[in-house]
Amino acid sequence: MKRLARTLRDADRALFRAIFRVKWAPLTVLMRWFTVAGTAGALWGVLAAVAFLLTGMRPLSLVIPWGAVAVSWLVAEGAKYLFNRARPFIWDTEIAPLIKTPSSSSFPSGHSATAAAGAITLSVLYPGLWPLFVAAGFMVILSRVYLGVHFPLDVLAGSAIGTVAAGAFLLLLVW
C-alpha cells in the first residue's frame, strides 16, 4: 500500500512539473483570468444568470447550477480541513506560483469542484452551449495546476466532488 501511495504521489508530482513548466505569456494571462473568474464559482453563477435571462427564465435554470456550485464549493472547502496537503510551492520552494497564493490546504481544489459542477449542470440545461461550458470548466481546472497552486490529484478530486454535486442537483430535473 505504501508503494502504491508513493507511486501515485510521484506520478502526481511529475505531471505537475510537466504542466507547470509550460509557460507562454498569452496563455498565462488567460489562465489567470480563468482562475479569477472561477473563484468561489463566480463564473458559473454569472453564466447561469445570463442563460436564465436569455432563455425564458425557468427557475430551475438558476437553482440547479447555483445549488450544485454552492454545495460543491462547501464540500471541497470543508474537505480541506480533513486533508492537510501542502501546496506545490510549499512542497518545492523552487516553484514560484504565478498568482497570489492561497493559504488553505491544496486538497481538494475548490475551483475544480465548482468548475465541474457549473460546467456539467449548465451543459445539461443548455445542451447547445455544452462545448463552451466544458471548455470554460477545463480552463478553470487546468489553470490551478498551470499557475502552480494545485497538484493534478487536487484538481481531479475537486472535479469528482463537482461531478457528484452536479449529478445530485440534476436529479431535480427528473424528480
Side-chain angles (χ1 to χ4, degrees):
M1 189 60 143
K2 285 184 181 183
R3 185 175 180 177
L4 175 62
R6 190 171 29 254
T7 300
L8 191 57
R9 181 198 66 215
D10 292 346
D12 192 31
R13 289 176 178 176
L15 183 56
F16 169 81
R17 284 188 185 112
I19 294 169
F20 187 71
R21 259 193 301 252
V22 176
K23 296 296 173 262
W24 182 46
L27 184 57
T28 300
V29 169
L30 190 63
M31 292 294 185
R32 284 182 176 145
W33 186 90
F34 273 102
T35 272
V36 170
T39 301
L43 174 64
W44 310 106
V46 169
L47 289 175
V50 168
F52 173 78
L53 292 172
L54 295 177
T55 61
M57 299 186 195
R58 300 175 321 201
L60 285 180
S61 298
L62 282 178
V63 171
I64 289 173
W66 283 2
V69 166
V71 166
S72 66
W73 183 81
L74 288 169
V75 170
E77 291 303 306
K80 289 179 184 287
Y81 292 98
L82 300 174
F83 303 97
N84 190 21
R85 184 175 195 196
R87 291 189 180 264
F89 57 87
I90 293 172
W91 160 73
D92 182 348
T93 56
E94 291 182 12
I95 294 168
L98 303 175
I99 58 169
K100 184 176 182 266
T101 57
S103 60
S104 60
S105 172
S106 186
F107 187 88
S109 166
H111 278 74
S112 299
T114 60
I120 292 168
T121 56
L122 289 171
S123 291
V124 170
L125 291 168
Y126 307 100
L129 297 174
W130 77 264
L132 169 72
F133 298 133
V134 170
F138 177 75
M139 292 299 288
V140 170
I141 292 165
L142 180 60
S143 75
R144 304 306 287 163
V145 179
Y146 179 94
L147 296 171
V149 294
H150 279 291
F151 289 104
L153 285 178
D154 302 338
V155 299
L156 184 62
S159 298
I161 290 168
T163 299
V164 170
F169 274 83
L170 287 168
L171 286 174
L172 292 173
L173 289 175
V174 295
W175 195 17

mmCIF file of all heavy atoms in Angstrom, residues 113-151:
data_model
loop_
_atom_site.group_PDB
_atom_site.id
_atom_site.type_symbol
_atom_site.label_atom_id
_atom_site.label_comp_id
_atom_site.label_asym_id
_atom_site.label_seq_id
_atom_site.Cartn_x
_atom_site.Cartn_y
_atom_site.Cartn_z
ATOM 1 N N ALA A 113 -13.876 21.910 -8.157
ATOM 2 C CA ALA A 113 -15.195 21.412 -7.752
ATOM 3 C C ALA A 113 -16.303 22.269 -8.356
ATOM 4 O O ALA A 113 -17.259 21.753 -8.948
ATOM 5 C CB ALA A 113 -15.302 21.379 -6.233
ATOM 6 N N THR A 114 -16.162 23.581 -8.232
ATOM 7 C CA THR A 114 -17.200 24.454 -8.765
ATOM 8 C C THR A 114 -17.202 24.460 -10.297
ATOM 9 O O THR A 114 -18.261 24.562 -10.911
ATOM 10 C CB THR A 114 -17.072 25.887 -8.223
ATOM 11 O OG1 THR A 114 -15.796 26.432 -8.590
ATOM 12 C CG2 THR A 114 -17.241 25.921 -6.709
ATOM 13 N N ALA A 115 -16.018 24.326 -10.898
ATOM 14 C CA ALA A 115 -15.938 24.289 -12.365
ATOM 15 C C ALA A 115 -16.659 23.062 -12.914
ATOM 16 O O ALA A 115 -17.423 23.160 -13.885
ATOM 17 C CB ALA A 115 -14.484 24.307 -12.824
ATOM 18 N N ALA A 116 -16.433 21.918 -12.301
ATOM 19 C CA ALA A 116 -17.107 20.702 -12.764
ATOM 20 C C ALA A 116 -18.618 20.818 -12.554
ATOM 21 O O ALA A 116 -19.405 20.500 -13.455
ATOM 22 C CB ALA A 116 -16.557 19.472 -12.043
ATOM 23 N N ALA A 117 -19.019 21.272 -11.381
ATOM 24 C CA ALA A 117 -20.456 21.408 -11.096
ATOM 25 C C ALA A 117 -21.122 22.380 -12.065
ATOM 26 O O ALA A 117 -22.189 22.098 -12.616
ATOM 27 C CB ALA A 117 -20.664 21.863 -9.653
ATOM 28 N N GLY A 118 -20.495 23.525 -12.285
ATOM 29 C CA GLY A 118 -21.062 24.515 -13.183
ATOM 30 C C GLY A 118 -21.092 24.051 -14.624
ATOM 31 O O GLY A 118 -22.113 24.175 -15.310
ATOM 32 N N ALA A 119 -19.987 23.514 -15.094
ATOM 33 C CA ALA A 119 -19.910 23.076 -16.500
ATOM 34 C C ALA A 119 -20.903 21.954 -16.789
ATOM 35 O O ALA A 119 -21.579 21.970 -17.827
ATOM 36 C CB ALA A 119 -18.485 22.632 -16.826
ATOM 37 N N ILE A 120 -21.016 21.008 -15.885
ATOM 38 C CA ILE A 120 -21.922 19.869 -16.113
ATOM 39 C C ILE A 120 -23.377 20.308 -16.074
ATOM 40 O O ILE A 120 -24.162 19.978 -16.966
ATOM 41 C CB ILE A 120 -21.640 18.738 -15.107
ATOM 42 C CG1 ILE A 120 -20.268 18.110 -15.392
ATOM 43 C CG2 ILE A 120 -22.744 17.677 -15.152
ATOM 44 C CD1 ILE A 120 -19.769 17.190 -14.288
ATOM 45 N N THR A 121 -23.761 21.033 -15.035
ATOM 46 C CA THR A 121 -25.176 21.419 -14.925
ATOM 47 C C THR A 121 -25.598 22.334 -16.070
ATOM 48 O O THR A 121 -26.664 22.149 -16.657
ATOM 49 C CB THR A 121 -25.491 22.084 -13.573
ATOM 50 O OG1 THR A 121 -24.620 23.211 -13.384
ATOM 51 C CG2 THR A 121 -25.346 21.117 -12.415
ATOM 52 N N LEU A 122 -24.754 23.303 -16.408
ATOM 53 C CA LEU A 122 -25.111 24.206 -17.498
ATOM 54 C C LEU A 122 -25.126 23.483 -18.841
ATOM 55 O O LEU A 122 -25.946 23.798 -19.706
ATOM 56 C CB LEU A 122 -24.167 25.409 -17.526
ATOM 57 C CG LEU A 122 -24.361 26.390 -16.359
ATOM 58 C CD1 LEU A 122 -23.253 27.431 -16.339
ATOM 59 C CD2 LEU A 122 -25.729 27.050 -16.427
ATOM 60 N N SER A 123 -24.246 22.516 -19.022
ATOM 61 C CA SER A 123 -24.241 21.739 -20.269
ATOM 62 C C SER A 123 -25.519 20.931 -20.434
ATOM 63 O O SER A 123 -26.027 20.779 -21.552
ATOM 64 C CB SER A 123 -23.028 20.804 -20.309
ATOM 65 O OG SER A 123 -21.845 21.550 -20.437
ATOM 66 N N VAL A 124 -26.035 20.409 -19.335
ATOM 67 C CA VAL A 124 -27.289 19.646 -19.396
ATOM 68 C C VAL A 124 -28.474 20.583 -19.629
ATOM 69 O O VAL A 124 -29.362 20.296 -20.431
ATOM 70 C CB VAL A 124 -27.488 18.797 -18.119
ATOM 71 C CG1 VAL A 124 -28.884 18.210 -18.065
ATOM 72 C CG2 VAL A 124 -26.432 17.698 -18.060
ATOM 73 N N LEU A 125 -28.479 21.710 -18.942
ATOM 74 C CA LEU A 125 -29.590 22.659 -19.082
ATOM 75 C C LEU A 125 -29.600 23.351 -20.445
ATOM 76 O O LEU A 125 -30.663 23.685 -20.971
ATOM 77 C CB LEU A 125 -29.523 23.708 -17.976
ATOM 78 C CG LEU A 125 -29.825 23.208 -16.568
ATOM 79 C CD1 LEU A 125 -29.451 24.258 -15.538
ATOM 80 C CD2 LEU A 125 -31.282 22.814 -16.439
ATOM 81 N N TYR A 126 -28.433 23.590 -21.004
ATOM 82 C CA TYR A 126 -28.293 24.295 -22.283
ATOM 83 C C TYR A 126 -27.387 23.477 -23.201
ATOM 84 O O TYR A 126 -26.232 23.839 -23.442
ATOM 85 C CB TYR A 126 -27.714 25.697 -22.051
ATOM 86 C CG TYR A 126 -28.510 26.477 -21.035
ATOM 87 C CD1 TYR A 126 -28.074 26.587 -19.718
ATOM 88 C CD2 TYR A 126 -29.725 27.056 -21.383
ATOM 89 C CE1 TYR A 126 -28.820 27.280 -18.775
ATOM 90 C CE2 TYR A 126 -30.484 27.748 -20.450
ATOM 91 C CZ TYR A 126 -30.023 27.854 -19.145
ATOM 92 O OH TYR A 126 -30.773 28.523 -18.219
ATOM 93 N N PRO A 127 -27.890 22.363 -23.706
ATOM 94 C CA PRO A 127 -27.049 21.429 -24.465
ATOM 95 C C PRO A 127 -26.403 22.043 -25.710
ATOM 96 O O PRO A 127 -25.328 21.613 -26.115
ATOM 97 C CB PRO A 127 -27.990 20.282 -24.826
ATOM 98 C CG PRO A 127 -29.362 20.766 -24.552
ATOM 99 C CD PRO A 127 -29.271 21.891 -23.588
ATOM 100 N N GLY A 128 -27.005 23.041 -26.278
ATOM 101 C CA GLY A 128 -26.407 23.682 -27.450
ATOM 102 C C GLY A 128 -25.118 24.435 -27.133
ATOM 103 O O GLY A 128 -24.323 24.717 -28.025
ATOM 104 N N LEU A 129 -24.930 24.756 -25.867
ATOM 105 C CA LEU A 129 -23.737 25.509 -25.450
ATOM 106 C C LEU A 129 -22.721 24.648 -24.704
ATOM 107 O O LEU A 129 -21.763 25.173 -24.146
ATOM 108 C CB LEU A 129 -24.158 26.694 -24.570
ATOM 109 C CG LEU A 129 -25.033 27.745 -25.241
ATOM 110 C CD1 LEU A 129 -25.490 28.778 -24.219
ATOM 111 C CD2 LEU A 129 -24.293 28.399 -26.388
ATOM 112 N N TRP A 130 -22.928 23.330 -24.692
ATOM 113 C CA TRP A 130 -22.052 22.476 -23.900
ATOM 114 C C TRP A 130 -20.568 22.638 -24.240
ATOM 115 O O TRP A 130 -19.743 22.611 -23.324
ATOM 116 C CB TRP A 130 -22.494 21.008 -23.940
ATOM 117 C CG TRP A 130 -22.129 20.280 -25.206
ATOM 118 C CD1 TRP A 130 -22.928 20.096 -26.289
ATOM 119 C CD2 TRP A 130 -20.883 19.648 -25.507
ATOM 120 N NE1 TRP A 130 -22.259 19.394 -27.257
ATOM 121 C CE2 TRP A 130 -20.995 19.107 -26.801
ATOM 122 C CE3 TRP A 130 -19.694 19.497 -24.808
ATOM 123 C CZ2 TRP A 130 -19.950 18.427 -27.418
ATOM 124 C CZ3 TRP A 130 -18.648 18.814 -25.423
ATOM 125 C CH2 TRP A 130 -18.781 18.287 -26.713
ATOM 126 N N PRO A 131 -20.165 22.831 -25.496
ATOM 127 C CA PRO A 131 -18.716 22.983 -25.740
ATOM 128 C C PRO A 131 -18.131 24.200 -25.021
ATOM 129 O O PRO A 131 -17.011 24.141 -24.500
ATOM 130 C CB PRO A 131 -18.608 23.133 -27.261
ATOM 131 C CG PRO A 131 -19.842 22.484 -27.801
ATOM 132 C CD PRO A 131 -20.905 22.788 -26.777
ATOM 133 N N LEU A 132 -18.882 25.273 -24.975
ATOM 134 C CA LEU A 132 -18.433 26.477 -24.274
ATOM 135 C C LEU A 132 -18.270 26.211 -22.780
ATOM 136 O O LEU A 132 -17.246 26.565 -22.179
ATOM 137 C CB LEU A 132 -19.437 27.614 -24.492
ATOM 138 C CG LEU A 132 -19.243 28.856 -23.627
ATOM 139 C CD1 LEU A 132 -18.035 29.637 -24.081
ATOM 140 C CD2 LEU A 132 -20.489 29.719 -23.666
ATOM 141 N N PHE A 133 -19.271 25.568 -22.173
ATOM 142 C CA PHE A 133 -19.224 25.310 -20.739
ATOM 143 C C PHE A 133 -18.108 24.323 -20.377
ATOM 144 O O PHE A 133 -17.395 24.518 -19.395
ATOM 145 C CB PHE A 133 -20.572 24.792 -20.238
ATOM 146 C CG PHE A 133 -21.698 25.767 -20.421
ATOM 147 C CD1 PHE A 133 -22.910 25.358 -20.961
ATOM 148 C CD2 PHE A 133 -21.558 27.110 -20.074
ATOM 149 C CE1 PHE A 133 -23.955 26.241 -21.139
ATOM 150 C CE2 PHE A 133 -22.597 28.007 -20.250
ATOM 151 C CZ PHE A 133 -23.801 27.582 -20.789
ATOM 152 N N VAL A 134 -17.958 23.283 -21.169
ATOM 153 C CA VAL A 134 -16.913 22.288 -20.905
ATOM 154 C C VAL A 134 -15.529 22.913 -21.072
ATOM 155 O O VAL A 134 -14.631 22.688 -20.257
ATOM 156 C CB VAL A 134 -17.096 21.035 -21.791
ATOM 157 C CG1 VAL A 134 -15.894 20.115 -21.709
ATOM 158 C CG2 VAL A 134 -18.371 20.294 -21.377
ATOM 159 N N ALA A 135 -15.357 23.713 -22.117
ATOM 160 C CA ALA A 135 -14.064 24.371 -22.331
ATOM 161 C C ALA A 135 -13.739 25.322 -21.180
ATOM 162 O O ALA A 135 -12.606 25.352 -20.683
ATOM 163 C CB ALA A 135 -14.073 25.122 -23.663
ATOM 164 N N ALA A 136 -14.730 26.086 -20.737
ATOM 165 C CA ALA A 136 -14.505 27.008 -19.618
ATOM 166 C C ALA A 136 -14.169 26.240 -18.343
ATOM 167 O O ALA A 136 -13.252 26.626 -17.600
ATOM 168 C CB ALA A 136 -15.732 27.890 -19.404
ATOM 169 N N GLY A 137 -14.879 25.152 -18.095
ATOM 170 C CA GLY A 137 -14.586 24.332 -16.920
ATOM 171 C C GLY A 137 -13.186 23.757 -16.978
ATOM 172 O O GLY A 137 -12.445 23.788 -15.992
ATOM 173 N N PHE A 138 -12.806 23.234 -18.136
ATOM 174 C CA PHE A 138 -11.463 22.686 -18.304
ATOM 175 C C PHE A 138 -10.401 23.753 -18.063
ATOM 176 O O PHE A 138 -9.386 23.495 -17.415
ATOM 177 C CB PHE A 138 -11.311 22.086 -19.709
ATOM 178 C CG PHE A 138 -9.938 21.560 -19.979
ATOM 179 C CD1 PHE A 138 -9.520 20.358 -19.413
ATOM 180 C CD2 PHE A 138 -9.054 22.266 -20.782
ATOM 181 C CE1 PHE A 138 -8.241 19.875 -19.649
ATOM 182 C CE2 PHE A 138 -7.778 21.795 -21.020
ATOM 183 C CZ PHE A 138 -7.368 20.588 -20.456
ATOM 184 N N MET A 139 -10.636 24.954 -18.549
ATOM 185 C CA MET A 139 -9.652 26.028 -18.361
ATOM 186 C C MET A 139 -9.515 26.425 -16.890
ATOM 187 O O MET A 139 -8.403 26.671 -16.420
ATOM 188 C CB MET A 139 -10.025 27.239 -19.221
ATOM 189 C CG MET A 139 -9.888 26.989 -20.712
ATOM 190 S SD MET A 139 -8.202 26.570 -21.215
ATOM 191 C CE MET A 139 -7.421 28.160 -21.041
ATOM 192 N N VAL A 140 -10.611 26.492 -16.171
ATOM 193 C CA VAL A 140 -10.529 26.806 -14.740
ATOM 194 C C VAL A 140 -9.715 25.716 -14.029
ATOM 195 O O VAL A 140 -8.806 26.005 -13.243
ATOM 196 C CB VAL A 140 -11.925 26.947 -14.101
ATOM 197 C CG1 VAL A 140 -11.827 27.022 -12.577
ATOM 198 C CG2 VAL A 140 -12.649 28.172 -14.646
ATOM 199 N N ILE A 141 -10.028 24.472 -14.330
ATOM 200 C CA ILE A 141 -9.356 23.347 -13.681
ATOM 201 C C ILE A 141 -7.871 23.328 -14.031
ATOM 202 O O ILE A 141 -7.009 23.232 -13.141
ATOM 203 C CB ILE A 141 -10.047 22.020 -14.064
ATOM 204 C CG1 ILE A 141 -11.450 21.975 -13.434
ATOM 205 C CG2 ILE A 141 -9.213 20.817 -13.657
ATOM 206 C CD1 ILE A 141 -12.362 20.903 -14.007
ATOM 207 N N LEU A 142 -7.547 23.441 -15.291
ATOM 208 C CA LEU A 142 -6.149 23.422 -15.724
ATOM 209 C C LEU A 142 -5.373 24.613 -15.175
ATOM 210 O O LEU A 142 -4.193 24.492 -14.828
ATOM 211 C CB LEU A 142 -6.068 23.408 -17.252
ATOM 212 C CG LEU A 142 -4.664 23.379 -17.863
ATOM 213 C CD1 LEU A 142 -3.909 22.126 -17.413
ATOM 214 C CD2 LEU A 142 -4.749 23.450 -19.380
ATOM 215 N N SER A 143 -6.035 25.755 -15.059
ATOM 216 C CA SER A 143 -5.362 26.962 -14.574
ATOM 217 C C SER A 143 -4.760 26.769 -13.188
ATOM 218 O O SER A 143 -3.710 27.328 -12.875
ATOM 219 C CB SER A 143 -6.321 28.160 -14.567
ATOM 220 O OG SER A 143 -7.246 28.096 -13.496
ATOM 221 N N ARG A 144 -5.392 25.966 -12.367
ATOM 222 C CA ARG A 144 -4.916 25.785 -10.994
ATOM 223 C C ARG A 144 -3.553 25.069 -10.958
ATOM 224 O O ARG A 144 -2.718 25.371 -10.117
ATOM 225 C CB ARG A 144 -5.949 25.022 -10.161
ATOM 226 C CG ARG A 144 -7.318 25.662 -10.156
ATOM 227 C CD ARG A 144 -7.287 27.110 -9.725
ATOM 228 N NE ARG A 144 -7.042 27.185 -8.298
ATOM 229 C CZ ARG A 144 -6.642 28.260 -7.655
ATOM 230 N NH1 ARG A 144 -6.420 29.372 -8.288
ATOM 231 N NH2 ARG A 144 -6.443 28.233 -6.359
ATOM 232 N N VAL A 145 -3.340 24.147 -11.875
ATOM 233 C CA VAL A 145 -2.045 23.454 -11.961
ATOM 234 C C VAL A 145 -1.052 24.339 -12.707
ATOM 235 O O VAL A 145 0.086 24.531 -12.260
ATOM 236 C CB VAL A 145 -2.188 22.076 -12.648
ATOM 237 C CG1 VAL A 145 -0.834 21.385 -12.757
ATOM 238 C CG2 VAL A 145 -3.178 21.196 -11.876
ATOM 239 N N TYR A 146 -1.468 24.895 -13.829
ATOM 240 C CA TYR A 146 -0.605 25.744 -14.644
ATOM 241 C C TYR A 146 -0.018 26.896 -13.820
ATOM 242 O O TYR A 146 1.154 27.235 -13.957
ATOM 243 C CB TYR A 146 -1.410 26.291 -15.828
ATOM 244 C CG TYR A 146 -0.634 27.212 -16.736
ATOM 245 C CD1 TYR A 146 -0.001 26.721 -17.870
ATOM 246 C CD2 TYR A 146 -0.543 28.580 -16.475
ATOM 247 C CE1 TYR A 146 0.715 27.558 -18.719
ATOM 248 C CE2 TYR A 146 0.168 29.424 -17.310
ATOM 249 C CZ TYR A 146 0.792 28.917 -18.426
ATOM 250 O OH TYR A 146 1.501 29.755 -19.258
ATOM 251 N N LEU A 147 -0.842 27.491 -12.965
ATOM 252 C CA LEU A 147 -0.402 28.639 -12.174
ATOM 253 C C LEU A 147 0.394 28.246 -10.931
ATOM 254 O O LEU A 147 0.935 29.102 -10.240
ATOM 255 C CB LEU A 147 -1.608 29.501 -11.787
ATOM 256 C CG LEU A 147 -2.332 30.136 -12.972
ATOM 257 C CD1 LEU A 147 -3.639 30.778 -12.527
ATOM 258 C CD2 LEU A 147 -1.447 31.147 -13.692
ATOM 259 N N GLY A 148 0.457 26.954 -10.625
ATOM 260 C CA GLY A 148 1.326 26.470 -9.559
ATOM 261 C C GLY A 148 0.723 26.385 -8.174
ATOM 262 O O GLY A 148 1.460 26.331 -7.192
ATOM 263 N N VAL A 149 -0.609 26.334 -8.070
ATOM 264 C CA VAL A 149 -1.216 26.299 -6.743
ATOM 265 C C VAL A 149 -1.891 24.978 -6.389
ATOM 266 O O VAL A 149 -2.367 24.809 -5.265
ATOM 267 C CB VAL A 149 -2.195 27.478 -6.535
ATOM 268 C CG1 VAL A 149 -1.439 28.802 -6.533
ATOM 269 C CG2 VAL A 149 -3.288 27.487 -7.581
ATOM 270 N N HIS A 150 -1.951 24.039 -7.350
ATOM 271 C CA HIS A 150 -2.532 22.719 -7.087
ATOM 272 C C HIS A 150 -1.783 21.634 -7.848
ATOM 273 O O HIS A 150 -1.269 21.877 -8.936
ATOM 274 C CB HIS A 150 -4.001 22.651 -7.524
ATOM 275 C CG HIS A 150 -4.965 23.231 -6.554
ATOM 276 N ND1 HIS A 150 -5.230 22.666 -5.336
ATOM 277 C CD2 HIS A 150 -5.739 24.328 -6.638
ATOM 278 C CE1 HIS A 150 -6.137 23.404 -4.707
ATOM 279 N NE2 HIS A 150 -6.450 24.423 -5.476
ATOM 280 N N PHE A 151 -1.789 20.452 -7.267
ATOM 281 C CA PHE A 151 -1.311 19.257 -7.954
ATOM 282 C C PHE A 151 -2.461 18.690 -8.786
ATOM 283 O O PHE A 151 -3.636 18.954 -8.503
ATOM 284 C CB PHE A 151 -0.874 18.191 -6.933
ATOM 285 C CG PHE A 151 0.394 18.533 -6.211
ATOM 286 C CD1 PHE A 151 0.355 18.983 -4.893
ATOM 287 C CD2 PHE A 151 1.630 18.384 -6.827
ATOM 288 C CE1 PHE A 151 1.521 19.280 -4.212
ATOM 289 C CE2 PHE A 151 2.800 18.684 -6.156
ATOM 290 C CZ PHE A 151 2.748 19.135 -4.841
#
